[in-house]
Amino acid sequence: MLTEHFVAAPHWEWYILAYFVAAGLSGGAYVMGTMLRLWGDARDLPASRLAFFISWPLLLVCPILLTLDLGQPTRFWHMLIDSRTAGLAFKSWSPMSVGAWALLIYGIFSTVMFVVALGETRSTPALLPRLSRVGGTLVGRAVMVVGALFAVFVSAYTGVLLAVSNQPVWSDTWTLGGLFLASGLSGASALILLLARPRQDAMATDEKLLEADRYFIILELVLIALFFVTLGGVLTRVLSGGWLVLWLVVLVGTVVPLLVHWRPEWRRRLSPNLAPILVLLGVLALRAVVIFSPQS
Amino acid sequence: MATPVGFFTDTTLCIGCKACEVACKEWNQLPDNPIQFRDSYDNTGQLDQRNFRHVRFVEQATSNPDKPIAWSMMSDVCKHCANASCLEVCPTDAIIRTEFDTVYIQQDVCNGCRDCIAACPYGVIGFDSTSGTAKKCTFCYDRLQNNKMPACAQACPTQSIKFGNLADLRKMAADRVQALQAQGVTQARIYGDTEYGGLHAFFLLTDKPEAYALPNAESAVLPGRNDVPGYLAVAVTAVLGAIGGLVAFRRRGERA
């Protein structure tokens, strides 16, 4: 049975939307970089490096956006340290608390992989190539995989955070975490595709990224369907008025790229950058409609 | 620990005078409300950072043509739940349970993340943009520490708001419901005996909870109910995503 709501809105708005997008894409990019290294071949290394190059700056934006959204930005550290006891502030049952710690730990892994990727490129200081050799070892791979677990968490926990509330829509579904992860992976694939195309060395992975993106989009569409089904009576909150425009962007940002990816002849007819740009617009629209519609 | 305290608000005694609102604003030095014209005597609107008490005017149509509208009044307040949703989600531990078993937001610890606002099922907490923190009824914590009763209960002229030892109040409420039902008020019921583990501010109602904008027993659920299902959905999606990546990246790699 669906819960009847008499709640107030938390007014999580633009900073939070930007954070959700940045966290989703950063985590997704790290996971893509890891998968390309684990399962791809030598020709995929440039695309993998690009993934880690994308992941790190997007991650750097995240704590800035979160801090700006606080009513008391100078108390951002209260998320990690108990200001009364100076002990650690960690609550496993509060996604916001776990998320703050996950973001910090993921930041370390993302930085390490950024440095490793940088070391693999030419024209970098002498120390970096030595560091980059660690990336190929068993320990390096283990570090990368553990980092990917935190990347998955950072990309997805924002959906769980919304669900762990008493707000209409958010708390009426269990799908948001999975949906944000699928959308983050799809968006990261699109971003890597966009940035890889002007680079000759990363072009080799183009077809693989297109195929991966197809799977992620299918996963996202299934989760969107589950999202609607689980909402039941409150579905009208997200499917009314102006919100339909955002859903249309989500639809165009999933179905059109899916068809374009599938049909090489359509891809040749259209601009190669069209599908990735639509995917990224869909990523933004999905989070916007989920964040804003229940609070309106 | 001091004895757990509570508010028992008997809505059948409330006359809508708003003395509780005024006393609360005065003691807690809360700012005035912006002037709004509402189609009701209820010009307070809702509980928030400015209003720790809100006299709700519940207007209901009746079948009596001489009296087409009936009013039920209820002085609403933070419920100080035994299992408090706000306290559960607060990431900074700014929200604590006091020695009086009430729920209190420490203003020097709160960083204004507003997770508690999203979690409170009663829409009690508001965000104060001046202090940059979340605010709600303190149960007059400063007065309790000095053996004084909360300002609203002291000001209430009809004894609709009763303050005291929680166990005594529950007994008093049960007796009152029994007396009202004996007088023919069969709709009389207590709200807050079981919801969220028992509310420290509980109410005697003469209609279903939803009529007073209170979630019923089925809807009174904690945010944490979505923790495990939410993370499970993430785990399943992650596994499926990894399989997708494996298929897309490895197969082509083997062909090369």
Side-chain angles (χ1 to χ4, degrees), chain B residues 21-93:
Chain B
E21 283 190 17
V22 175
C24 176
K25 274 199 184 267
E26 194 174 353
W27 181 260
N28 292 295
Q29 299 183 324
L30 299 177
D32 201 0
N33 292 348
I35 293 171
Q36 294 178 70
F37 292 101
R38 294 168 184 269
D39 188 21
S40 166
Y41 283 107
D42 181 354
N43 55 2
T44 304
Q46 68 280 314
L47 292 167
D48 56 20
Q49 71 283 3
R50 283 195 205 93
N51 302 292
F52 294 174
R53 271 277 175 191
H54 166 218
V55 179
R56 194 180 288 282
F57 285 64
V58 183
E59 293 162 19
Q60 289 167 313
T62 72
S63 53
N64 182 350
D66 298 329
K67 231 169 84 177
I69 296 289
W71 268 331
S72 299
M73 287 113 174
M74 181 184 91
S75 180
D76 200 4
V77 70
C78 170
K79 316 301 178 286
H80 297 272
C81 315
N83 300 325
S85 302
C86 57
L87 197 148
E88 180 184 283
V89 300
C90 176
T92 61
D93 281 333

Side-chain angles (χ1 to χ4, degrees), chain A residues 44-63:
Chain A
D44 299 325
L45 271 180
S48 167
R49 276 199 290 273
L50 193 57
F52 290 120
F53 288 152
I54 291 168
S55 155
W56 192 64
L58 280 170
L59 160 80
L60 290 185
V61 176
C62 293

Side-chain angles (χ1 to χ4, degrees), chain A residues 170-220:
Chain A
W170 298 348
S171 66
D172 293 314
T173 180
W174 44 264
T175 57
L176 287 176
L179 178 56
F180 283 2
L181 176 59
S183 156
L185 287 170
S186 170
S189 306
L191 198 53
I192 298 165
L193 272 169
L194 262 184
L195 298 177
R197 280 183 176 150
R199 298 163 53 111
Q200 203 59 41
D201 58 346
M203 275 293 284
T205 315
D206 203 79
E207 284 298 322
K208 292 181 180 180
L209 287 170
L210 287 173
E211 185 178 344
D213 201 17
R214 279 206 299 271
Y215 299 140
F216 300 146
I217 290 174
I218 292 168
L219 197 53
E220 187 181 349

Side-chain angles (χ1 to χ4, degrees), chain A:
Chain A
M1 178 169 167
L2 277 173
T3 307
E4 199 165 1
H5 302 279
F6 300 98
V7 295
H11 298 290
W12 287 335
E13 292 168 358
W14 298 104
Y15 287 131
I16 295 301
L17 172 62
Y19 167 63
F20 278 25
V21 171
L25 293 178
S26 172
Y30 187 103
V31 173
M32 293 297 291
T34 303
M35 290 199 294
L36 281 167
R37 271 174 198 244
L38 287 180
W39 300 322
D41 55 40
R43 290 174 307 165
D44 299 325
L45 271 180
S48 167
R49 276 199 290 273
L50 193 57
F52 290 120
F53 288 152
I54 291 168
S55 155
W56 192 64
L58 280 170
L59 160 80
L60 290 185
V61 176
C62 293
I64 297 168
L65 291 166
L66 283 178
T67 302
L68 287 173
D69 185 68
L70 293 175
Q72 282 278 0
T74 54
R75 295 183 188 165
F76 69 94
W77 57 277
H78 289 198
M79 292 287 187
L80 304 170
I81 307 290
D82 188 319
S83 60
R84 288 289 172 103
T85 64
L88 297 183
F90 179 75
K91 289 165 89 169
S92 62
W93 57 92
S94 166
M96 193 178 277
S97 175
V98 182
W101 279 103
L103 198 59
L104 181 74
I105 297 168
Y106 167 60
I108 296 167
F109 285 102
S110 181
T111 306
V112 167
M113 288 315 296
F114 178 81
V115 171
V116 166
L118 198 64
E120 289 170 356
T121 60
R122 289 173 195 167
S123 69
T124 48
L127 176 67
L128 291 180
R130 255 179 256 160
L131 269 176
S132 71
R133 282 198 285 277
V134 179
T137 65
L138 192 65
V139 175
R141 283 178 168 240
V143 168
M144 189 170 63
V145 171
V146 173
L149 296 177
F150 283 98
V152 164
F153 189 89
V154 165
S155 187
Y157 90 94
T158 48
V160 183
L161 187 152
L162 295 182
V164 178
S165 70
N166 269 312
Q167 294 290 310
V169 178
W170 298 348
S171 66
D172 293 314
T173 180
W174 44 264
T175 57
L176 287 176
L179 178 56
F180 283 2
L181 176 59
S183 156
L185 287 170
S186 170
S189 306
L191 198 53
I192 298 165
L193 272 169
L194 262 184
L195 298 177
R197 280 183 176 150
R199 298 163 53 111
Q200 203 59 41
D201 58 346
M203 275 293 284
T205 315
D206 203 79
E207 284 298 322
K208 292 181 180 180
L209 287 170
L210 287 173
E211 185 178 344
D213 201 17
R214 279 206 299 271
Y215 299 140
F216 300 146
I217 290 174
I218 292 168
L219 197 53
E220 187 181 349
L221 285 169
V222 169
L223 282 157
I224 288 173
L226 284 171
F227 171 67
F228 287 153
V229 169
T230 49
L231 288 188
V234 291
L235 185 61
T236 49
R237 290 288 292 256
V238 291
L239 280 183
S240 58
W243 307 122
L244 286 172
V245 178
L246 286 177
W247 280 115
L248 187 67
V249 177
V250 174
L251 194 70
V252 171
T254 47
V255 175
V256 173
L258 190 62
L259 295 174
V260 172
H261 288 350
W262 223 300
R263 296 278 185 168
E265 66 271 19
W266 291 2
R267 228 184 301 156
R268 277 192 292 274
R269 246 180 272 159
L270 298 166
S271 159
N273 290 337
L274 179 69
I277 288 171
L278 289 178
V279 168
L280 289 170
L281 286 175
V283 167
L284 180 67
L286 175 72
R287 283 159 179 76
V289 73
V290 168
I291 292 171
F292 290 120
S293 63
Q295 297 188 81
S296 62

